[in-house]
Amino acid sequence: MIIFLLFISGIAGGIINALAGGATLITFPVMLAAGLTPVIANASNAVAVAPGHLIAAFADREKLPTPDKYLLISLLLCVMGGVLGALLLLMLPDRWFVLPVPALIAFATVLFAFAPAISVWAERRRAGTKAGKRRWLAALSAASIYGGFFGAGLGVILTAVLSLQEPDDIRRVKVLKNLLATAVSLAAITIFIVQDAVQWPETLVMLTGALLGGYVGGLLVRVLPAYIVRWFVIAAGIVMSLVYAQRYWY
């Protein structure tokens, strides 16, 4: 049953990340249900869902960004942020990490629920000046550190940040979001692997599902209404927040 849940949650996570972000709200609790400690579950989950971002980006190749200095700077900031976030996670004892877990899941769920409003706000404040670009790069750095530490809701945060610079082309924003999320994830999982913080049997099962789900999601993003996935993820996030609040706070 656990193997089945890991595989199915991997597929669901890959699709969800490609369409809107928020896979960790589904996959992280399944890693915990498999018996992994919270820090190991978070690191293993990061490894399992990371390739889905890249597959989703290349599944919509028409919208891949042209390489330029801003793309290079963005990727570099995401790598540095992912490394810092991962190191911060591994410095914390399990008993310290479990305390904010319900709050982190709830925070990611709220972000996900209000993603459209966040995107509208971000578009209105689109950065055009040098000061605006600096603020944009600072926001991207903060999002990357958060992504290396936990990751749930990273897709929503990156989508909002990218809306400060990108025109109203949601497919282009989603592709760039997936590329930057890949940079954050690869940097973080490199640290996790080097530090031997990954439980490989569970990770490989979920990874197999996530690879399949990421490709399917990259195709579905062209045709599937995002609200179908959104409400499923929001409902799951609310349930998981309550479940883990009961487990760790009471």
Side-chain angles (χ1 to χ4, degrees), residues 33-119:
L36 278 62
T37 61
V39 170
I40 298 298
N42 193 35
S44 299
N45 175 76
V47 175
V49 302
H53 289 295
L54 187 60
I55 290 174
F58 280 94
D60 196 11
R61 288 184 292 274
E62 297 171 18
K63 295 295 182 178
L64 284 172
T66 304
D68 57 25
K69 71 173 184 178
Y70 283 111
L71 178 60
L72 180 60
I73 291 171
S74 299
L75 288 171
L76 241 127
L77 287 174
C78 286
V79 169
M80 292 170 61
V83 168
L84 287 174
L87 291 173
L88 177 61
L89 172 70
L90 295 179
M91 288 171 59
L92 290 178
D94 271 327
R95 65 182 182 277
W96 287 10
F97 180 69
V98 297
L99 291 177
V101 161
L104 286 171
I105 294 176
F107 171 69
T109 303
V110 170
L111 271 179
F112 194 85
F114 288 95
I118 293 172
S119 294

Side-chain angles (χ1 to χ4, degrees), residues 142-234:
S144 302
I145 294 171
Y146 169 79
F149 179 78
F150 187 54
L154 175 62
V156 174
I157 298 171
L158 286 178
T159 298
V161 171
L162 291 173
S163 295
L164 294 170
Q165 291 281 55
E166 292 297 320
D168 300 329
D169 186 342
I170 190 60
R171 281 175 60 189
R172 178 177 169 80
V173 167
K174 292 297 184 186
V175 168
L176 186 52
K177 178 265 294 182
N178 281 322
L179 283 178
L180 296 183
T182 298
V184 174
S185 300
L186 290 180
I189 66 177
T190 299
I191 300 298
F192 296 148
I193 292 171
V194 168
Q195 295 296 318
D196 197 25
V198 178
Q199 189 81 11
W200 285 107
E202 291 83 354
T203 300
L204 291 175
V205 174
M206 186 177 283
L207 173 62
T208 303
L211 290 172
L212 176 60
Y215 184 75
V216 172
L219 299 176
L220 288 178
V221 74
R222 306 180 187 187
V223 295
L224 186 66
Y227 73 88
I228 294 176
V229 178
R230 285 183 50 75
W231 282 111
F232 172 76
V233 174
I234 291 167

Side-chain angles (χ1 to χ4, degrees), residues 109-148:
T109 303
V110 170
L111 271 179
F112 194 85
F114 288 95
I118 293 172
S119 294
V120 169
W121 173 84
E123 286 177 14
R124 288 174 181 169
R125 297 177 61 87
R126 189 169 297 144
T129 64
K130 287 185 178 179
K133 289 185 187 302
R134 286 196 294 270
R135 288 195 297 271
W136 180 79
L137 292 174
L140 181 62
S141 300
S144 302
I145 294 171
Y146 169 79

